[in-house]
Amino acid sequence: SQTIHQWPATLVQPVGSPLSLECTVEGTSNPNLYWYRQAAGRGLQLLFYSVGIGQISSEVPQNLSASRPQDRQFILSSKKLLLSDSGFYLCAWSRGGYEQYFGPGTRLTVT
Amino acid sequence: KNEVEQSPQNLTAQEGEFITINCSYSVGISALHWLQQHPGGGIVSLFMLSSGKKKHGRLIATINIQEKHSSLHITASHPRDSAVYICAVLKVPANTGNQFYFGTGTSLTVIP
């Protein structure tokens, strides 16, 4: 069966510090991968998606970036965090069908 | 204006009540997804719909493509149903990424 992992589960970082969130998927190959952010009181917002290794599409301009160094690994990064980057970050995968499967999420607080 | 609107934003019900959560969207879609987000943040998929009606246990989801509207019903609600329910749509034409666009969610609290 397929599973999706995210770490860390929670993170508190000061403004201006770097960020690296990791997502890995097990039990499937060549998945579509997604990064979402859920800010307090707001809906899920798609940040990045990837249909293959090294292929990243960005939905919104921001100080975040994403990379896919391996087939089942998706990384969300920032060189300098802003207060507005606080939120709940979710990784998801799909097999090209319509259904998406979400990871447990990372709660990021930028102080 | 958000392309996906949910109502109500917040809902409190007594245990056993019949609950309806609504989702309206303003774009053409190829599929609609109902998700449940637990207090810890984890999200699980409840239904994927492109037409008609689906039922799973006490949950029923319907969609009317012509009216651009979907409803999620919970029969005989229980405190463990307390969660945020999120509607998401896959717009047409769906590109290779199959990105979903999400409503802001309906926060449901079921009181014993």
Side-chain angles (χ1 to χ4, degrees), chain A residues 33-93:
Chain A
L33 295 171
Y34 308 84
W35 276 113
Y36 295 95
R37 177 170 60 200
Q38 188 177 41
R42 303 186 66 178
L44 284 160
Q45 179 186 39
L46 178 66
L47 300 175
F48 300 96
Y49 70 92
S50 171
V51 299
I53 295 175
Q55 300 178 61
I56 308 294
S57 296
S58 174
E59 280 293 291
V60 293
Q62 59 221 318
N63 69 320
L64 299 170
S65 62
S67 61
R68 186 169 177 173
Q70 300 180 45
D71 181 46
R72 289 169 288 176
Q73 183 184 33
F74 205 23
I75 296 172
L76 183 69
S77 304
S78 174
K79 292 182 179 177
K80 288 186 178 182
L81 282 169
L82 306 172
L83 284 174
S84 58
D85 291 324
S86 293
F88 189 60
Y89 288 81
L90 283 153
C91 180
W93 73 273

Side-chain angles (χ1 to χ4, degrees), chain B residues 22-86:
Chain B
N22 296 299
C23 175
S24 297
Y25 49 92
S26 57
V27 295
I29 70 167
S30 54
L32 183 144
H33 208 158
W34 279 105
L35 306 165
Q36 181 190 53
Q37 185 172 27
H38 295 285
I43 291 180
V44 297
S45 169
L46 298 176
F47 295 103
M48 175 70 64
L49 293 166
S50 55
S51 65
K53 176 180 174 178
K54 285 189 176 180
K55 184 177 189 293
H56 181 69
R58 295 180 295 105
L59 300 178
I60 303 167
T62 63
I63 188 168
N64 186 317
I65 298 294
Q66 287 74 30
E67 294 185 3
K68 292 189 165 73
H69 181 269
S70 176
S71 293
L72 176 68
H73 305 286
I74 305 175
T75 61
S77 59
H78 189 276
R80 64 175 175 266
D81 297 325
S82 298
V84 175
Y85 292 84
I86 300 169

Side-chain angles (χ1 to χ4, degrees), chain A residues 1-17:
Chain A
S1 64
Q2 299 86 9
T3 55
I4 178 168
H5 304 280
Q6 281 186 248
W7 62 90
T10 59
L11 190 59
V12 180
Q13 292 282 96
V15 168
S17 63

